[in-house]
């Protein structure tokens, strides 16, 4: 990824001097203007200010909640250039890639983390310059000494927690000094974060390096909204409790309001550890821990995704394509042409050189090494078998299962010699933690295995394994992915494993076959891969052989649904889901019946297995956030695409069930393949079983002109009395809206209006409905529940789901059968089984279901990026604080 050049950040002739930059780069920082100095001593100087913020001086600023991200590493590193200047480069690690785009696009977010810089090498003045440089990207660097890094990072994080959490207890080192340093450095982080916190901020702490930080912040900010996410597995209670400081670690994490893992299994392991180690803590039926200080800690799974479009785009870059062509040629997949190919650290340069004899490959093998048995076997099948490429991309880490994988590959060549000469394995293994002895041992073992296999099976013009131990940038990596007929992703333990997802994203033609370990989070989602136990060498060997033999049709069939889901479950949507849930669990009453990942998975599973599906979905407040002016709640293009995708499948009946007028429903949704129920059931169009395209008015309704003559003047009176309130007329309803009015004035008038209306509605066959900042009069016979009843009772569906946010939607929940899913959006009493925070969660759920039916439609699924919609949600939150 390219660096962000800082024009003001020039390296002076003298050592490092950032003075000039500080002077000219004092750009306005918006919400973060008050960001202060960090590092030792910073807290003392900022503490007074932090207190002032807490005691009411916080900026109202639309009250948009600010986000403070805290992670071990910052998403950007400072790099010296040859010309003496410095640039800030985005890091390419999973975390920077996942949250970086969110951070960059949300000006109200701030990122705090270790800079990677040794403070001893710089003067105070220089460090101030570095801070300023980071400040431009809303980052606050923390400087750690060698001693701190040794104990906290290399020691406790990487030598204790890392192996333990990956079920490698035998590699784990338990040292009191490391633990103490870990605690001390977590405290250092707390001291940097604390002074920046203002009321209403959200703090999102990342990963196993900072497990004590949530509690440290909670002690000082009892009302803060704190989230913590673990990017690696959480081990079983049996393994976890072997850690001498396991209770302190659990208590540290429990300072958060939301504790997130990649999978439901990891959250279950965490809960099991809680029961075992802290049995005194009550966990309620919603899986929420009631903490003695009064805050609640919810536990849930949020499977991380990738930036799907980035990988898809990069796979088509010229560099990636050249890499692929080069690999194809080297592996004999392009027999008519020969490319001169060289792989460099930067990538690959491939030039079409000489057109070669199509039989070049077979001649070479037949004639030059006739006495080799292997060569004979290989040569005999040349021409009848097309050549294949296997790829894998990993950090050289003992959790990745490289030796086991190599053994499986070697066994396959042994057992199925027809592959000799016909399959080439591109093994990219980037060295990591090279100073740690276990990593050195692993490197030696992998080197040896590669050497043994290459030595044993190589032919003159064929080498079984191309072993690359350099760090390649994203373009050549995508070239390798696209060249791979099969990706071999077999970690012994992994939190998620993004390589599996990146590989599939690069194969948008739906070819490419994945052999995937069932010991990583990705296996929960990528269920159409060849799933293997990575310790079972025979199983991996067979899966690899089968994956190489797969027909294009079978490969495509397996990939369609996985690809579709990857497009929906992106890194951006992962961020939004986590933050949305954090907002939900931090609000009073919102944890009750919260829709967790296990519910989500059950809904998806039932949807995938169903033959006919019915979705009954309210509009305002459910699919789109409530806004001040009704006409501004128009659906976005992304939402219209989503409704089209879900609704156009022949096995899905999607009904929009709204209180909106049928004219508006026609304008906004008339061209989509969804059924429409308007004005709380008084009107409908395009319902299942109907053979007319016309709007239908419900039977037996009183004459609207007659009763509106009575009701409208009563409501108009209220609109006249209350500034900024207004009356909305529909064909069979009239509504008085007061969202934009002064709350007290509106409330008095509301009481008065209700009183006046009660006197007349009964005689006219009408009723009063109270809704979100609206009083509405409709015919008695109409309700959403009545309108959906024929479909709910039809017996036609083996999947039913109703979603809504207000009182009128409760009538739908009331008639839904027990086996149906009912989901309430937002706070308040409800008959629904489950609750989500806001429309974001609904759109994400529907997008996931839409991806599930992609298989049936056989059409590529449109990529869903709801970020625009989420911005609207943020704005709506800002507008509607305490306003619902
Ligand atoms: O059944 P729904 O689809 O939820 O529609 C219910 C009412 O929605 C509209 O009013 C509500 O949304 C407005 C826009 O966000 C907001 O300004 C208003 O305060 C809400 O009550 C619509 O104007 C009504 O006619 C619908 O009955």
């Amino acid at each position: 990824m390219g660096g962000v050049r800082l024009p003001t950040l020039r390296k002076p002739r003298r050592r490092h001097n950032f003075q000039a930059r500080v002077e000219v780069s004092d750009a306005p920082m918006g919400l973060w203007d008050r960001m202060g100095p960090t590092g030792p001593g910073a807290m003392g100087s900022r503490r007074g200010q932090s207190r002032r913020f807490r005691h009411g001086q916080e900026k109202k600023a639309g009250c948009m909640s600010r986000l403070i991200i805290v992670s071990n590493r910052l998403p950007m590193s400072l790099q010296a250039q040859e010309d003496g200047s410095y640039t800030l480069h985005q890091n390419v690690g999973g975390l920077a890639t996942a949250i970086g785009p969110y951070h960059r696009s949300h000006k109200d977010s701030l990122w705090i983390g270790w800079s990677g810089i040794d403070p001893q090498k710089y003067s105070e003045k220089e460090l101030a310059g570095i801070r300023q440089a980071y400040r431009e990207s809303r980052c606050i660097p923390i400087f750690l000494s060698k001693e701190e890094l040794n104990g906290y990072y290399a020691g406790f994080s990487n030598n204790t927690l890392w192996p333990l959490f990956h079920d490698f207890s035998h590699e784990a080192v338990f040292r009191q000094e490391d633990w103490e340093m870990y605690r001390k450095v977590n405290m250092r982080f707390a001291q940097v974060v604390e002074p920046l916190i203002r009321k209403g901020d959200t703090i999102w702490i990342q990963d196993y390096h900072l497990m004590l930080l949530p509690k440290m912040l909670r002690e000082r900010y009892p009302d803060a909204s704190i989230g913590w996410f673990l990017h690696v597995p959480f081990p079983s209670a049996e393994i976890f409790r072997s850690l001498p400081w396991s209770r302190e670690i659990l208590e540290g994490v429990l300072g958060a309001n939301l504790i997130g893992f990649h999978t439901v299994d990891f959250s279950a392991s965490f809960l099991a550890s809680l029961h075992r180690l802290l049995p005194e803590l009550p966990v309620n039926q919603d899986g929420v821990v009631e903490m003695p200080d009064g805050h609640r800690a919810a536990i849930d799974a949020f499977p991380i995704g990738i930036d799907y479009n980035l990988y898809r785009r990069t796979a088509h870059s010229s560099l990636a394509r050249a890499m692929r062509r080069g690999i194809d040629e080297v592996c004999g997949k392009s027999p008519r042409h020969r490319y001169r190919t060289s792989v460099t650290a930067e990538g690959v340069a491939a030039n079409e050189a000489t057109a070669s004899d199509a039989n070049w490959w077979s001649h070479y093998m037949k004639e030059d090494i006739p006495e080799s048995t292997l060569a004979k076997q290989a040569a005999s099948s040349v021409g009848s078998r097309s050549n294949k490429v296997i790829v894998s991309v990993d950090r050289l880490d003992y959790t990745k299962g490289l030796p086991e994988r190599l053994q499986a590959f070697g066994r396959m060549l042994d057992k199925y010699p027809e592959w000799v000469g016909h399959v080439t394995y591109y093994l990219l293994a980037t060295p990591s933690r090279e100073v740690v002895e276990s990593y050195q041992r692993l490197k030696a073992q992998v080197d040896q295995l590669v050497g043994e296999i290459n030595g044993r099976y190589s032919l003159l013009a064929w080498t079984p394994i191309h072993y690359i131990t350099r760090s390649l940038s994203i373009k050549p990596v995508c070239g390798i992915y696209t060249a791979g007929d099969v990706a071999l992703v077999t970690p012994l333990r992994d939190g998620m494993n993004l390589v599996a997802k990146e590989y599939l994203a690069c194969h948008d033609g739906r070819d490419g076959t994945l052999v995937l370990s069932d010991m990583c989070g990705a296996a929960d989602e990528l269920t159409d891969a060849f799933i293997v136990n990575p310790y079972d060498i025979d199983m991996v060997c067979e899966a690899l052989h089968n994956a190489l033999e797969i027909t294009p049709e079978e490969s495509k069939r397996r990939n369609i649904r996985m690809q579709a889901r990857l497009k929906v479950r992106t890194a951006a949507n992962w961020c939004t889901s986590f933050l949305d849930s954090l907002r939900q669990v931090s609000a009073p009453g919102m944890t009750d019946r919260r829709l967790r990942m296990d519910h989500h998975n059950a809904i998806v599973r039932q949807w995938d297995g169903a033959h006919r599906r019915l979705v009954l979905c309210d509009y305002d407040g459910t699919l789109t956030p409530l806004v001040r002016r009704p006409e501004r709640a128009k659906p976005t293009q992304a939402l219209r695409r989503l409704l089209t995708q879900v609704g156009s499948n022949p096995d899905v009946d999607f009904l929009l069930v709204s209180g909106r007028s049928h004219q508006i429903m026609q304008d906004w949704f008339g061209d989509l393949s969804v059924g429409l129920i308007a004005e709380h059931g008084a009107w409908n169009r395009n319902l299942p079983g109907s053979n007319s395209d016309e709007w239908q008015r419900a039977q037996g309704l009183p004459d609207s002109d007659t009763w509106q003559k009575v009701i409208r003047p009563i409501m108009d009176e209220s609109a006249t009395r209350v500034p900024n309130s207004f009356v909305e007329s529909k064909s069979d309803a009239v509504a008085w809206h007061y969202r934009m009015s002064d709350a007290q004035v509106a409330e008095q008038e509301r009481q008065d209006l209700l009183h006046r209306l009660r006197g007349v509605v009964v005689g006219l066959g009408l009723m009063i409905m109270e809704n979100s900042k609206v009083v509405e009069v409709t015919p008695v016979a109409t309700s959403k529940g009545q309108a959906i009843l024929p479909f709910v009772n039809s017996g036609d569906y083996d999947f039913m789901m109703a979603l809504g946010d207000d009182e009128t939607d409760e009538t739908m929940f009331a008639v839904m059968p027990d086996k149906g899913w009912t989901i309430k959006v937002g706070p308040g009493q409800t008959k629904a089984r489950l609750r989500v925070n806001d429309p974001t969660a609904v759109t994400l759920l529907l997008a996931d279901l839409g991806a599930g039916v992609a298989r049936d439609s056989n059409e590529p699924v449109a990529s869903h990026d709801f970020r625009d919609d989420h911005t609207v949600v943020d704005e709506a939150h800002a507008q509607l604080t305490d306003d619902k």
Side-chain angles (χ1 to χ4, degrees), residues 453-523:
I453 294 172
N454 279 347
R456 180 165 155 72
Y457 295 100
S458 278
L459 305 176
L460 193 60
W462 173 74
T463 308
I465 303 173
H466 286 243
Y467 180 39
I468 306 164
T469 57
R470 294 189 299 276
S471 172
L472 297 186
S473 65
I474 184 169
K475 285 183 182 169
V477 167
C478 286
I480 293 180
Y481 285 146
T482 53
D485 297 290
V486 174
L488 200 44
V489 185
T490 54
L492 302 178
R493 198 75 178 131
D494 217 337
M496 173 51 68
N497 196 294
L498 296 179
V499 166
K501 296 185 171 185
E502 291 165 5
Y503 169 76
L504 287 176
C506 286
H507 283 259
D508 55 358
R510 292 173 175 178
D511 60 338
T513 306
L514 184 61
V515 177
L516 181 64
S517 160
D518 68 355
M519 301 300 280
C520 64

Side-chain angles (χ1 to χ4, degrees), residues 18 29 39 217 306 416 418 464-465 489 651:
F18 296 88
M29 292 293 296
L217 295 179
I306 56 166
Y416 300 102
E418 61 268 33
I465 303 173
V489 185
D651 296 328

